[in-house]
Amino acid sequence: MPAWKAVLADLKLPVRIMPRDVSTCWNSTYDMLSFAFEYRKGLDAMTDQRRLGLGEYELTSHEWTLVKQLHDVLKDTTLYFSRSMPNLPMVIPAMDHIDSVFTSSILKKDRLDPAIHTGLGLAKQTLNQYYSLTDASEAYHIAMGAY
């Protein structure tokens, strides 16, 4: 931690700790990527210091491109959910919005790395599985007044 604070002081960046990526909280990935992109110089400086033994964690320029692309794909969806408190009747509209963002991103084959493109395809498959489960959810039917 002292080395991180020193690097940030040299770069004149405020001291912040990188948010953790929590698999059950999808917007945490966006928060982590936003932080990484904003603090790229600090992260590069930390992994460049041989005395800290963090060189194996240094991101290549290609990996930084992936960070930026994934951040951009997740940004729209994260902001969509940040504007109001999601509730059960908003599940389908929210899933439709996410599907729309993923679909439009998938169509940008020439602008996205194949890894991001493949990940979006897998995410759409997962989203479709959840979408199909809403038909069997009594709670969802009650919330929608269709029970």
Side-chain angles (χ1 to χ4, degrees), residues 1-99:
M1 188 71 164
W4 176 244
K5 289 180 179 179
V7 165
L8 295 181
D10 290 344
L11 295 171
K12 297 181 179 28
L13 289 170
V15 175
R16 286 184 49 208
I17 304 300
M18 180 180 274
R20 292 183 56 156
D21 186 21
V22 180
S23 63
T24 57
C25 187
W26 62 268
N27 61 332
S28 68
T29 303
Y30 172 78
D31 293 339
M32 182 187 66
L33 294 172
S34 291
F35 177 91
F37 200 69
E38 182 181 348
Y39 279 73
R40 178 179 178 173
K41 288 182 181 180
L43 293 169
D44 283 343
M46 286 295 292
T47 56
D48 191 39
Q49 295 182 16
R50 294 194 196 288
R51 65 184 171 81
L52 297 175
L54 299 173
E56 68 185 279
Y57 301 107
E58 185 173 15
L59 298 182
T60 65
S61 60
H62 178 257
E63 290 168 327
W64 278 114
T65 299
L66 294 176
V67 166
K68 174 71 171 121
Q69 288 180 2
L70 185 56
H71 171 270
D72 292 348
V73 167
L74 294 177
K75 180 179 182 178
D76 187 52
T77 304
T78 300
L79 294 177
Y80 177 81
F81 281 108
S82 298
R83 67 180 180 196
S84 66
M85 183 60 140
N87 54 37
L88 199 51
M90 290 298 299
V91 169
I92 297 299
M95 292 173 84
D96 288 343
H97 180 75
I98 294 169
D99 186 63

